[in-house]
Amino acid sequence: MRITRKLAVLAVVPLIAVLAFAALAVRTAASQALDAARLKTLVELGSQAGQLTHQLQDERTAAAVLLSGSDGTSGGDAPAAGQSNAYLDQTRATDASITRYRRLRDRLQAMPGGTNGLLQAVDGALDGLPALRRQVQSGPGAELSAVTFQYRIVVADLLDFRADVAEAGKASATVAARINSAVALARAEEYASQEELAVLRAQAAGGLTPAAQDAIAATRSGYTESVLEFGRNADPQWQAWLDHALTGDGVIDAGRLEDAVERSRPGDRLPATGVWTGAMDQRVDRLQEVGQRIDQSIDGDVTHLRNVQRAWTLGEVLAVLLVVAAVVTLALRLGRPMIRELRRLRDAAHAVAHERLPAAVEALAARGALGSATPEEFAAAAGDPVTVRGRDEIAEVGSAFNSVSREAVRIAAEQAAMRDRLGALLVGLARRGDRLTGALIKALDAAERDEHDPARLERLFALDHLASRMGRNNHSLLVLGGEASARVRAQDAAIEDVLRAAMGQIERYTRVDFGTFDPGVLIAAKAVDHLVHLFAELLDNATAFSRPELRVTAEARLLADRVVVLICDEGIGLAEDQWAPVNARLASPPPVEVTGVRAMGLGVVGQLASWYGIRVELRPRPGGGTIAEVSLPAAVFRVGTAEPVQPATPAPEPVPVLAPAAAQAGGPAPAPTTARTASTPTTAAGLPQRRPRGAEPEPAALAAPAAPAVPAPPVDERRDPARVSAAMAAYARGIGASRSGRVAPTSVLSDPEQKENS
């Protein structure tokens, strides 16, 4: 997972947790706001139900007056037209109140089961009012008790709904107590209206009866209890409103009439209908006015509660949104700089890994790259890859990365210094060994000049050959040390002479056969000695890792833009997974190290090839063995006629010369060591014909072109390795031919099928 996603997870997970808790809080606040809004609607509907109750009470009273047939002076008079019109006017007022009630009723959504049942009962009772009104208007045949009872049922349903408003709206205890106080006052109003009806029914019945007395007493008792209940729960202000409303002449008259009715006995005359209804209606109206004021007060409280809940809900939502915005902004402001710094560290690490460190290592690959500077100074000069900013952990990581980079460059510089010291050690050993080998060869020369015994001469030749191999080993150390010989060759040499000279520098030279050589291929003088050394290492490797009875073949062919030299053996070869690493080391030889000294044959081949841009590749030979293919570029050969090779003029003391690095300079190689070819006459058996040193004339091939040959003093002469190699080659050919009677080996490239397989 990327660091961006990790930082996002670190910011999002706590944010999700906060949002979850905030959602719960918002949900609670929203639920309370919805409950407050529902309670507001229920309170408004309850208030309208109270007004509708009052209108129904007035309609019920008008119906009772109409059905009792009284004109207001006696109970037996026929109904007057004014009473009927009063009833109709009251029904229209009731219908207007019903319309307002139903408009509020439609705003209610889902309600609890009990409340919903009460509302449905009210709706059904209201739907039955037209039939009840027609019954009232039908005349004296309508039963007054039945009519008033049906009105009482509708009023009772409305009062029950008002009593259920607090519970249905989930009102608080305080609001519920205030609502219940309003309901208690509405019940007191209903009891007062029922008391009025009880007297009217008694008047219609012709006088007061015991049952009528009980009904009147029950209504007065209910009225008193309702007023007392209102006083227990109502606010003091509400109680003051009620006390003020129950004072005045009309209310006092109603109380006096109540007392008169209560003291009446069966058969006594009751108060006149008009006087009674006028006094009682005034009390009921006063109670209704107080109820409306209380309903308005409750509605104001509930509206305030709803607005507060809405404000809290909106505030919580805004707070959550602000928190989310703050968290996101903070995460972006803090996270993006962190990500930028981490990406800068990543880019710096890539630059160090792919650019700075390889460039430093490449700069240290050349010998003497450090100069007089120490590894610490070189590392400090390389600079820091990361610019440290701030003091946080990312800055500490940048500082640590700079330390790692400096340490890596310092270690690379120490390795370069160690390689320089190792190269200097190898060069010193090679120079010392070369001087000792030169002294040994000089001693062998002296012994060979005076020796005529073939057996001892053969042993001297063997020692001479061993000394040549020792010289090649010294030159290998010199190559690994990064230097070349200071001897200078003046003229080019034929490719076959170069290969014969290489054959003369290996131990098992008798097993080497030469195949086809395209004529006219001349190796540049500057590269002759190094190619002799390169081919000698390949030939020595081929003969060392094949059975003694097997032959090794060498041949050279000229192509359009290069010369290809093939050295083929039938040895053990390499494992399948070793060809690529070996060829990689040949193509890009590593710097000098201890392992290169332990197996320095191929290491020397790679170094020599890199000096001249030569490509050396090893591949498996069909049928077993190895083919070493050496591709010589046009810079190291030419096509022409071979000229006599002059002996190289040795320097009095070899001077160290840095070896050319093909990858660095790409120019001409350093002055190679001299390799002279010589033509030595042989006997019939193939052995070199030995002549006294003083009497031996200088071969024409070694003579200077412009002057006759002048023998050099024996004591100052340095033996040419090419001459010794040529002599050894002739010696080997003679011995090989005499022992096996073989014909010359067949060239690998001369057979088309073998060409294709190669």
Side-chain angles (χ1 to χ4, degrees):
M1 183 182 292
R2 297 179 64 85
I3 189 66
T4 307
R5 295 183 179 178
K6 292 182 180 180
L7 292 176
V9 168
L10 290 177
V12 169
V13 170
L15 183 60
I16 291 176
V18 171
L19 287 177
F21 288 107
L24 292 177
V26 171
R27 179 181 179 183
T28 302
S31 177
Q32 293 176 355
L34 292 176
D35 292 341
R38 185 184 296 113
L39 179 60
K40 163 71 174 174
T41 304
L42 287 172
V43 168
E44 290 179 349
L45 184 61
S47 177
Q48 183 61 39
Q51 296 179 16
L52 178 59
T53 300
H54 180 69
Q55 296 298 331
L56 288 172
Q57 290 170 351
D58 291 345
E59 183 177 338
R60 181 178 59 186
T61 302
V65 172
L66 180 62
L67 292 177
S68 64
S70 174
D71 61 356
T73 59
S74 64
D77 296 335
Q83 295 172 345
S84 178
N85 293 334
Y87 178 74
L88 292 176
D89 292 340
Q90 185 57 45
T91 57
R92 284 191 288 271
T94 303
D95 290 339
S97 182
I98 291 174
T99 301
R100 290 191 296 271
Y101 169 82
R102 285 180 171 171
R103 189 181 301 115
L104 293 174
R105 168 72 172 85
D106 294 338
R107 289 167 54 185
L108 289 177
Q109 302 298 326
M111 297 300 296
T115 305
N116 193 40
L118 292 174
L119 291 173
Q120 290 178 357
V122 171
D123 293 339
L126 294 177
D127 292 338
L129 279 179
L132 181 60
R133 290 170 177 172
R134 287 193 298 270
Q135 183 180 353
V136 172
Q137 293 174 357
S138 63
E143 182 65 32
L144 178 59
S145 298
V147 171
T148 57
F149 182 75
Q150 292 186 20
Y151 275 107
R152 181 178 179 181
I153 291 176
V154 178
V155 172
D157 290 339
L158 289 171
L159 291 176
D160 291 339
F161 164 69
R162 293 195 66 182
D164 192 63
V165 166
E167 182 179 357
K170 299 179 181 179
S172 63
T174 303
V175 176
R178 295 165 70 87
I179 293 175
N180 292 331
S181 296
V183 173
L185 184 61
R187 291 188 185 280
E189 181 183 350
E190 171 63 13
Y191 281 122
S193 179
Q194 288 181 12
E195 183 182 1
E196 182 180 4
L197 289 175
V199 173
L200 290 177
R201 285 197 302 270
Q203 289 177 346
L208 188 65
T209 62
Q213 282 183 319
D214 293 338
I216 293 171
T219 55
R220 288 198 67 181
S221 176
Y223 171 79
T224 303
E225 290 179 359
S226 297
V227 171
L228 291 176
E229 182 181 357
F230 172 79
R232 286 193 297 268
N233 297 323
D235 293 343
Q237 186 180 13
W238 294 359
Q239 185 66 47
W241 291 346
L242 180 61
D243 294 340
H244 180 73
L246 294 179
T247 59
D249 296 337
V251 178
I252 294 174
D253 292 340
R256 186 170 55 252
L257 291 174
E258 281 180 337
D259 294 338
V261 171
E262 185 178 3
R263 291 192 299 267
S264 298
R265 296 290 181 266
D268 293 343
R269 186 178 178 85
L270 295 174
T273 301
V275 176
W276 173 253
T277 56
M280 294 303 294
D281 287 345
Q282 191 173 0
R283 176 192 282 181
V284 171
D285 291 341
R286 293 286 185 91
L287 292 175
Q288 198 270 338
E289 290 175 1
V290 174
Q292 284 186 350
R293 294 182 68 181
I294 292 174
D295 289 340
Q296 291 175 359
S297 177
I298 295 174
D299 184 72
D301 294 340
V302 173
T303 302
H304 175 71
L305 178 63
R306 182 200 63 182
N307 295 336
V308 170
Q309 292 297 334
R310 284 182 176 178
W312 272 105
T313 303
L314 182 60
E316 290 182 359
V317 171
L318 292 178
V320 170
L321 293 178
L322 288 176
V323 168
V324 172
V327 170
V328 172
T329 303
L330 188 63
L332 292 176
R333 289 183 63 87
L334 296 180
R336 293 177 65 182
M338 292 173 59
I339 294 173
R340 283 198 300 267
E341 290 297 318
L342 291 175
R343 287 176 177 172
R344 192 167 62 87
L345 287 177
R346 178 200 62 190
D347 297 339
H350 287 169
V352 169
H354 301 294
E355 298 175 9
R356 292 174 63 93
L357 194 56
V361 172
E362 183 179 359
L364 292 170
R367 184 177 178 185
L370 282 177
S372 59
T374 63
E376 289 76 11
E377 294 173 348
F378 185 85
D384 294 334
V386 178
T387 302
V388 179
R389 302 172 183 171
R391 298 180 181 178
D392 55 2
E393 287 77 4
I394 297 179
E396 293 177 357
V397 172
S399 299
F401 185 78
N402 288 336
S403 300
V404 171
S405 177
R406 286 194 299 269
E407 188 65 16
V409 175
R410 187 189 65 80
I411 292 175
E414 286 185 351
Q415 295 292 327
M418 185 176 66
R419 288 195 302 269
D420 290 345
R421 291 193 295 270
L422 179 60
L425 176 63
L426 295 178
V427 170
L429 291 175
R431 297 297 188 193
R432 185 177 181 85
D434 193 52
R435 287 194 296 270
L436 294 176
T437 303
L440 177 60
I441 291 177
K442 189 179 295 184
L444 290 174
D445 280 346
E448 289 172 1
R449 278 196 301 268
D450 300 330
E451 183 59 55
H452 300 283
D453 185 1
R456 285 196 295 270
L457 188 60
E458 182 177 357
R459 287 196 294 272
L460 288 174
F461 270 118
L463 293 175
D464 198 324
H465 183 58
L466 179 60
S468 297
R469 287 159 48 205
M470 292 172 61
R472 179 170 63 88
N473 185 75
N474 293 332
H475 292 165
S476 295
L477 293 178
L478 199 65
V479 170
L480 292 179
E483 294 189 4
S485 173
R487 301 180 212 176
V488 178
R489 179 176 293 275
Q491 296 181 356
D492 302 338
I495 183 64
E496 56 267 29
D497 293 337
V498 172
L499 284 170
R500 287 193 182 95
M503 182 189 70
Q505 294 186 8
I506 66 174
E507 178 182 3
R508 304 167 186 83
Y509 57 87
T510 58
R511 294 171 49 201
V512 177
D513 295 333
F514 291 125
T516 303
F517 291 90
D518 287 341
V521 178
L522 303 178
I523 303 300
K526 63 181 181 180
V528 169
D529 291 336
H530 291 157
L531 287 184
V532 168
H533 194 175
L534 185 149
F535 292 138
E537 295 292 346
L538 293 176
L539 289 172
D540 189 33
N541 186 73
T543 56
F545 292 98
S546 58
R547 293 196 301 273
E549 68 273 12
L550 299 177
R551 310 296 296 175
V552 174
T553 304
E555 59 185 16
R557 302 302 299 266
L558 175 64
L559 301 181
D561 58 344
R562 64 187 183 277
V563 172
V564 177
V565 178
L566 297 179
I567 298 176
C568 307
D569 66 73
E570 301 179 16
I572 58 177
L574 296 174
E576 193 66 29
D577 58 345
Q578 293 181 351
W579 294 103
V582 170
N583 287 324
R585 291 190 63 184
L586 290 173
S588 299
V592 60
E593 53 187 9
V594 177
T595 56
V597 177
R598 292 176 181 173
M600 62 181 177
L602 294 180
V604 171
V605 171
Q607 292 288 346
L608 292 173
S610 67
W611 293 357
Y612 297 99
I614 299 172
R615 187 175 68 87
V616 180
E617 181 182 3
L618 302 182
R619 63 175 183 269
R621 180 180 183 275
T626 303
I627 297 176
E629 179 179 317
V630 182
S631 297
L632 304 179
V636 298
F637 76 92
R638 66 181 179 87
V639 179
T641 303
E643 298 180 0
V645 180
Q646 293 293 334
T649 303
E653 184 65 24
V655 179
V657 179
L658 289 178
Q664 296 176 0
T673 53
T674 304
R676 293 179 300 168
T677 58
S679 178
T680 305
T682 60
T683 63
L687 293 173
Q689 183 176 355
R690 186 71 175 175
R691 295 182 180 180
R693 189 73 174 184
E696 180 184 5
E698 190 69 21
L702 300 179
V710 178
V715 71
D716 294 331
E717 180 183 5
R718 290 178 61 89
R719 298 178 64 248
D720 186 4
R723 180 179 178 184
V724 176
S725 299
M728 292 301 100
Y731 177 73
R733 287 196 300 272
I735 292 179
S738 64
R739 290 180 179 178
S740 60
R742 293 182 293 101
V743 296
T746 305
S747 170
V748 173
L749 293 180
S750 62
D751 187 352
E753 183 178 357
Q754 291 181 355
K755 281 184 184 179
E756 188 68 21
N757 292 336
S758 301

PDB file of all heavy atoms in Angstrom, residues 29-52:
ATOM      1  N   ALA A  29     -30.916  14.530  17.412  1.00  0.00           N
ATOM      2  CA  ALA A  29     -31.417  15.906  17.351  1.00  0.00           C
ATOM      3  C   ALA A  29     -32.509  16.046  16.301  1.00  0.00           C
ATOM      4  O   ALA A  29     -33.531  16.723  16.520  1.00  0.00           O
ATOM      5  CB  ALA A  29     -30.272  16.865  17.058  1.00  0.00           C
ATOM      6  N   ALA A  30     -32.302  15.388  15.153  1.00  0.00           N
ATOM      7  CA  ALA A  30     -33.319  15.466  14.101  1.00  0.00           C
ATOM      8  C   ALA A  30     -34.613  14.796  14.546  1.00  0.00           C
ATOM      9  O   ALA A  30     -35.721  15.284  14.259  1.00  0.00           O
ATOM     10  CB  ALA A  30     -32.797  14.824  12.828  1.00  0.00           C
ATOM     11  N   SER A  31     -34.471  13.671  15.262  1.00  0.00           N
ATOM     12  CA  SER A  31     -35.670  12.997  15.759  1.00  0.00           C
ATOM     13  C   SER A  31     -36.417  13.881  16.758  1.00  0.00           C
ATOM     14  O   SER A  31     -37.657  13.979  16.719  1.00  0.00           O
ATOM     15  CB  SER A  31     -35.277  11.669  16.412  1.00  0.00           C
ATOM     16  OG  SER A  31     -36.400  11.025  16.960  1.00  0.00           O
ATOM     17  N   GLN A  32     -35.639  14.530  17.642  1.00  0.00           N
ATOM     18  CA  GLN A  32     -36.279  15.447  18.585  1.00  0.00           C
ATOM     19  C   GLN A  32     -36.929  16.619  17.862  1.00  0.00           C
ATOM     20  O   GLN A  32     -38.016  17.072  18.248  1.00  0.00           O
ATOM     21  CB  GLN A  32     -35.244  15.944  19.589  1.00  0.00           C
ATOM     22  CG  GLN A  32     -34.723  14.852  20.518  1.00  0.00           C
ATOM     23  CD  GLN A  32     -33.632  15.351  21.437  1.00  0.00           C
ATOM     24  OE1 GLN A  32     -33.187  16.494  21.319  1.00  0.00           O
ATOM     25  NE2 GLN A  32     -33.193  14.500  22.353  1.00  0.00           N
ATOM     26  N   ALA A  33     -36.263  17.103  16.805  1.00  0.00           N
ATOM     27  CA  ALA A  33     -36.856  18.200  16.035  1.00  0.00           C
ATOM     28  C   ALA A  33     -38.142  17.754  15.353  1.00  0.00           C
ATOM     29  O   ALA A  33     -39.145  18.484  15.316  1.00  0.00           O
ATOM     30  CB  ALA A  33     -35.853  18.718  15.004  1.00  0.00           C
ATOM     31  N   LEU A  34     -38.127  16.518  14.826  1.00  0.00           N
ATOM     32  CA  LEU A  34     -39.348  16.003  14.197  1.00  0.00           C
ATOM     33  C   LEU A  34     -40.449  15.806  15.229  1.00  0.00           C
ATOM     34  O   LEU A  34     -41.635  16.101  14.964  1.00  0.00           O
ATOM     35  CB  LEU A  34     -39.037  14.683  13.486  1.00  0.00           C
ATOM     36  CG  LEU A  34     -38.134  14.784  12.244  1.00  0.00           C
ATOM     37  CD1 LEU A  34     -37.821  13.394  11.704  1.00  0.00           C
ATOM     38  CD2 LEU A  34     -38.799  15.634  11.166  1.00  0.00           C
ATOM     39  N   ASP A  35     -40.076  15.304  16.415  1.00  0.00           N
ATOM     40  CA  ASP A  35     -41.080  15.151  17.469  1.00  0.00           C
ATOM     41  C   ASP A  35     -41.648  16.500  17.884  1.00  0.00           C
ATOM     42  O   ASP A  35     -42.870  16.631  18.120  1.00  0.00           O
ATOM     43  CB  ASP A  35     -40.454  14.453  18.681  1.00  0.00           C
ATOM     44  CG  ASP A  35     -40.102  13.005  18.384  1.00  0.00           C
ATOM     45  OD1 ASP A  35     -40.655  12.447  17.413  1.00  0.00           O
ATOM     46  OD2 ASP A  35     -39.263  12.433  19.113  1.00  0.00           O
ATOM     47  N   ALA A  36     -40.740  17.506  17.958  1.00  0.00           N
ATOM     48  CA  ALA A  36     -41.221  18.843  18.321  1.00  0.00           C
ATOM     49  C   ALA A  36     -42.159  19.389  17.251  1.00  0.00           C
ATOM     50  O   ALA A  36     -43.189  20.023  17.558  1.00  0.00           O
ATOM     51  CB  ALA A  36     -40.043  19.787  18.529  1.00  0.00           C
ATOM     52  N   ALA A  37     -41.822  19.135  15.970  1.00  0.00           N
ATOM     53  CA  ALA A  37     -42.699  19.595  14.893  1.00  0.00           C
ATOM     54  C   ALA A  37     -44.037  18.859  14.935  1.00  0.00           C
ATOM     55  O   ALA A  37     -45.111  19.463  14.731  1.00  0.00           O
ATOM     56  CB  ALA A  37     -42.021  19.382  13.546  1.00  0.00           C
ATOM     57  N   ARG A  38     -43.979  17.543  15.212  1.00  0.00           N
ATOM     58  CA  ARG A  38     -45.232  16.796  15.323  1.00  0.00           C
ATOM     59  C   ARG A  38     -46.057  17.283  16.517  1.00  0.00           C
ATOM     60  O   ARG A  38     -47.289  17.395  16.431  1.00  0.00           O
ATOM     61  CB  ARG A  38     -44.929  15.306  15.457  1.00  0.00           C
ATOM     62  CG  ARG A  38     -46.181  14.443  15.452  1.00  0.00           C
ATOM     63  CD  ARG A  38     -45.873  12.980  15.680  1.00  0.00           C
ATOM     64  NE  ARG A  38     -45.058  12.455  14.586  1.00  0.00           N
ATOM     65  CZ  ARG A  38     -43.781  12.059  14.723  1.00  0.00           C
ATOM     66  NH1 ARG A  38     -43.173  12.181  15.901  1.00  0.00           N
ATOM     67  NH2 ARG A  38     -43.126  11.574  13.697  1.00  0.00           N
ATOM     68  N   LEU A  39     -45.361  17.532  17.645  1.00  0.00           N
ATOM     69  CA  LEU A  39     -46.077  18.043  18.814  1.00  0.00           C
ATOM     70  C   LEU A  39     -46.708  19.403  18.509  1.00  0.00           C
ATOM     71  O   LEU A  39     -47.843  19.689  18.949  1.00  0.00           O
ATOM     72  CB  LEU A  39     -45.107  18.163  19.988  1.00  0.00           C
ATOM     73  CG  LEU A  39     -45.683  18.701  21.292  1.00  0.00           C
ATOM     74  CD1 LEU A  39     -46.802  17.790  21.795  1.00  0.00           C
ATOM     75  CD2 LEU A  39     -44.591  18.851  22.338  1.00  0.00           C
ATOM     76  N   LYS A  40     -45.981  20.228  17.753  1.00  0.00           N
ATOM     77  CA  LYS A  40     -46.533  21.523  17.348  1.00  0.00           C
ATOM     78  C   LYS A  40     -47.822  21.331  16.560  1.00  0.00           C
ATOM     79  O   LYS A  40     -48.845  22.000  16.803  1.00  0.00           O
ATOM     80  CB  LYS A  40     -45.482  22.270  16.519  1.00  0.00           C
ATOM     81  CG  LYS A  40     -46.004  23.428  15.688  1.00  0.00           C
ATOM     82  CD  LYS A  40     -46.408  24.611  16.537  1.00  0.00           C
ATOM     83  CE  LYS A  40     -46.782  25.795  15.653  1.00  0.00           C
ATOM     84  NZ  LYS A  40     -47.311  26.929  16.431  1.00  0.00           N
ATOM     85  N   THR A  41     -47.814  20.394  15.613  1.00  0.00           N
ATOM     86  CA  THR A  41     -49.015  20.137  14.813  1.00  0.00           C
ATOM     87  C   THR A  41     -50.142  19.581  15.672  1.00  0.00           C
ATOM     88  O   THR A  41     -51.320  19.974  15.527  1.00  0.00           O
ATOM     89  CB  THR A  41     -48.680  19.151  13.673  1.00  0.00           C
ATOM     90  OG1 THR A  41     -47.603  19.677  12.897  1.00  0.00           O
ATOM     91  CG2 THR A  41     -49.879  18.930  12.775  1.00  0.00           C
ATOM     92  N   LEU A  42     -49.801  18.681  16.604  1.00  0.00           N
ATOM     93  CA  LEU A  42     -50.821  18.106  17.473  1.00  0.00           C
ATOM     94  C   LEU A  42     -51.424  19.162  18.399  1.00  0.00           C
ATOM     95  O   LEU A  42     -52.649  19.157  18.659  1.00  0.00           O
ATOM     96  CB  LEU A  42     -50.212  16.968  18.300  1.00  0.00           C
ATOM     97  CG  LEU A  42     -49.906  15.669  17.531  1.00  0.00           C
ATOM     98  CD1 LEU A  42     -49.132  14.705  18.421  1.00  0.00           C
ATOM     99  CD2 LEU A  42     -51.198  15.024  17.042  1.00  0.00           C
ATOM    100  N   VAL A  43     -50.566  20.053  18.909  1.00  0.00           N
ATOM    101  CA  VAL A  43     -51.088  21.112  19.783  1.00  0.00           C
ATOM    102  C   VAL A  43     -52.028  22.032  19.004  1.00  0.00           C
ATOM    103  O   VAL A  43     -53.101  22.425  19.501  1.00  0.00           O
ATOM    104  CB  VAL A  43     -49.918  21.891  20.416  1.00  0.00           C
ATOM    105  CG1 VAL A  43     -50.416  23.170  21.072  1.00  0.00           C
ATOM    106  CG2 VAL A  43     -49.212  21.022  21.439  1.00  0.00           C
ATOM    107  N   GLU A  44     -51.610  22.378  17.775  1.00  0.00           N
ATOM    108  CA  GLU A  44     -52.495  23.210  16.956  1.00  0.00           C
ATOM    109  C   GLU A  44     -53.813  22.492  16.679  1.00  0.00           C
ATOM    110  O   GLU A  44     -54.899  23.097  16.742  1.00  0.00           O
ATOM    111  CB  GLU A  44     -51.792  23.556  15.644  1.00  0.00           C
ATOM    112  CG  GLU A  44     -50.623  24.524  15.809  1.00  0.00           C
ATOM    113  CD  GLU A  44     -49.942  24.807  14.487  1.00  0.00           C
ATOM    114  OE1 GLU A  44     -50.259  24.093  13.505  1.00  0.00           O
ATOM    115  OE2 GLU A  44     -49.095  25.712  14.438  1.00  0.00           O
ATOM    116  N   LEU A  45     -53.714  21.187  16.380  1.00  0.00           N
ATOM    117  CA  LEU A  45     -54.941  20.426  16.130  1.00  0.00           C
ATOM    118  C   LEU A  45     -55.786  20.310  17.401  1.00  0.00           C
ATOM    119  O   LEU A  45     -57.031  20.393  17.350  1.00  0.00           O
ATOM    120  CB  LEU A  45     -54.581  19.038  15.598  1.00  0.00           C
ATOM    121  CG  LEU A  45     -55.753  18.150  15.184  1.00  0.00           C
ATOM    122  CD1 LEU A  45     -56.549  18.804  14.060  1.00  0.00           C
ATOM    123  CD2 LEU A  45     -55.254  16.767  14.742  1.00  0.00           C
ATOM    124  N   GLY A  46     -55.105  20.143  18.563  1.00  0.00           N
ATOM    125  CA  GLY A  46     -55.851  20.078  19.824  1.00  0.00           C
ATOM    126  C   GLY A  46     -56.541  21.394  20.135  1.00  0.00           C
ATOM    127  O   GLY A  46     -57.691  21.411  20.638  1.00  0.00           O
ATOM    128  N   SER A  47     -55.842  22.506  19.865  1.00  0.00           N
ATOM    129  CA  SER A  47     -56.473  23.812  20.083  1.00  0.00           C
ATOM    130  C   SER A  47     -57.697  23.975  19.194  1.00  0.00           C
ATOM    131  O   SER A  47     -58.758  24.464  19.631  1.00  0.00           O
ATOM    132  CB  SER A  47     -55.459  24.922  19.813  1.00  0.00           C
ATOM    133  OG  SER A  47     -56.065  26.195  19.950  1.00  0.00           O
ATOM    134  N   GLN A  48     -57.549  23.568  17.925  1.00  0.00           N
ATOM    135  CA  GLN A  48     -58.699  23.649  17.027  1.00  0.00           C
ATOM    136  C   GLN A  48     -59.805  22.689  17.452  1.00  0.00           C
ATOM    137  O   GLN A  48     -60.996  22.992  17.313  1.00  0.00           O
ATOM    138  CB  GLN A  48     -58.258  23.333  15.586  1.00  0.00           C
ATOM    139  CG  GLN A  48     -59.355  23.467  14.563  1.00  0.00           C
ATOM    140  CD  GLN A  48     -59.917  24.882  14.503  1.00  0.00           C
ATOM    141  OE1 GLN A  48     -59.184  25.863  14.608  1.00  0.00           O
ATOM    142  NE2 GLN A  48     -61.251  24.983  14.371  1.00  0.00           N
ATOM    143  N   ALA A  49     -59.401  21.539  18.009  1.00  0.00           N
ATOM    144  CA  ALA A  49     -60.411  20.607  18.536  1.00  0.00           C
ATOM    145  C   ALA A  49     -61.167  21.235  19.700  1.00  0.00           C
ATOM    146  O   ALA A  49     -62.394  21.007  19.873  1.00  0.00           O
ATOM    147  CB  ALA A  49     -59.747  19.306  18.965  1.00  0.00           C
ATOM    148  N   GLY A  50     -60.452  22.041  20.521  1.00  0.00           N
ATOM    149  CA  GLY A  50     -61.140  22.747  21.615  1.00  0.00           C
ATOM    150  C   GLY A  50     -62.156  23.735  21.083  1.00  0.00           C
ATOM    151  O   GLY A  50     -63.283  23.843  21.625  1.00  0.00           O
ATOM    152  N   GLN A  51     -61.809  24.475  20.038  1.00  0.00           N
ATOM    153  CA  GLN A  51     -62.754  25.426  19.452  1.00  0.00           C
ATOM    154  C   GLN A  51     -63.937  24.683  18.833  1.00  0.00           C
ATOM    155  O   GLN A  51     -65.105  25.122  18.952  1.00  0.00           O
ATOM    156  CB  GLN A  51     -62.056  26.283  18.400  1.00  0.00           C
ATOM    157  CG  GLN A  51     -60.951  27.175  18.960  1.00  0.00           C
ATOM    158  CD  GLN A  51     -60.261  27.982  17.877  1.00  0.00           C
ATOM    159  OE1 GLN A  51     -60.764  28.117  16.762  1.00  0.00           O
ATOM    160  NE2 GLN A  51     -59.100  28.536  18.231  1.00  0.00           N
ATOM    161  N   LEU A  52     -63.620  23.538  18.163  1.00  0.00           N
ATOM    162  CA  LEU A  52     -64.708  22.747  17.594  1.00  0.00           C
ATOM    163  C   LEU A  52     -65.610  22.197  18.693  1.00  0.00           C
ATOM    164  O   LEU A  52     -66.854  22.145  18.527  1.00  0.00           O
ATOM    165  CB  LEU A  52     -64.122  21.605  16.755  1.00  0.00           C
ATOM    166  CG  LEU A  52     -65.124  20.632  16.121  1.00  0.00           C
ATOM    167  CD1 LEU A  52     -66.079  21.382  15.186  1.00  0.00           C
ATOM    168  CD2 LEU A  52     -64.374  19.532  15.348  1.00  0.00           C
TER     169      LEU A  52
END
